Amino acid sequence: MSFNAEELKKAGVASLASPGDNPEAKLKKHLPVIAVEDGKVTVEVGHGMAEDHWITAIWIEDATGKVLEKVELKPTDTPKLVVETPSVSFTAYEHCNLHGTYASAPFTV
């Protein structure tokens, strides 16, 4: 997969504010969870990883849509992104190969 955030968001982005037709259980498995500790931001997704169903990418964008950091994942990877804490507000995104793209609420450090 060649990472392209705009392509991954093209079919729509689900979030708590805009869940679409996603049941709450699906949102819980797909929404990126952000933690900040010791100068690092960790974005995790509570989603299993299997050969036929996995998180393909996790990334963070600033308010202008610029991708600040990203990780592309394989089914054998842990769905996690760890980066230095950005100096700007950001939103975390993840893309599931079966269920599309999900976003966190905007996050300010």
Side-chain angles (χ1 to χ4, degrees):
M1 177 180 106
S2 177
F3 180 82
N4 181 323
E6 290 308 310
E7 281 297 314
L8 294 177
K9 295 189 300 184
K10 193 180 256 183
V13 177
S15 67
L16 282 178
S18 180
D21 62 356
N22 287 288
E24 186 176 334
K26 190 184 292 183
L27 280 173
K28 284 183 179 180
K29 288 183 188 177
H30 288 90
L31 287 176
V33 176
I34 300 166
V36 178
E37 187 175 337
D38 298 328
K40 302 267 189 198
V41 167
T42 301
V43 180
E44 294 186 276
V45 181
H47 188 288
M49 300 287 274
E51 289 294 324
D52 63 344
H53 186 190
W54 77 98
I55 302 304
T56 66
I58 300 173
W59 70 98
I60 59 174
E61 294 182 6
D62 68 13
T64 69
K66 178 183 174 189
V67 175
L68 302 173
E69 298 283 350
K70 67 175 175 65
V71 63
E72 295 180 67
L73 302 165
K74 300 181 298 288
T76 54
D77 293 331
T78 299
K80 180 191 282 191
L81 170 69
V82 180
V83 298
E84 296 294 323
T85 302
S87 59
V88 297
S89 296
F90 64 90
T91 300
Y93 293 86
E94 69 87 358
H95 181 263
C96 171
N97 73 314
L98 294 181
H99 300 116
T101 302
Y102 292 76
S104 69
F107 191 88
T108 302
V109 180

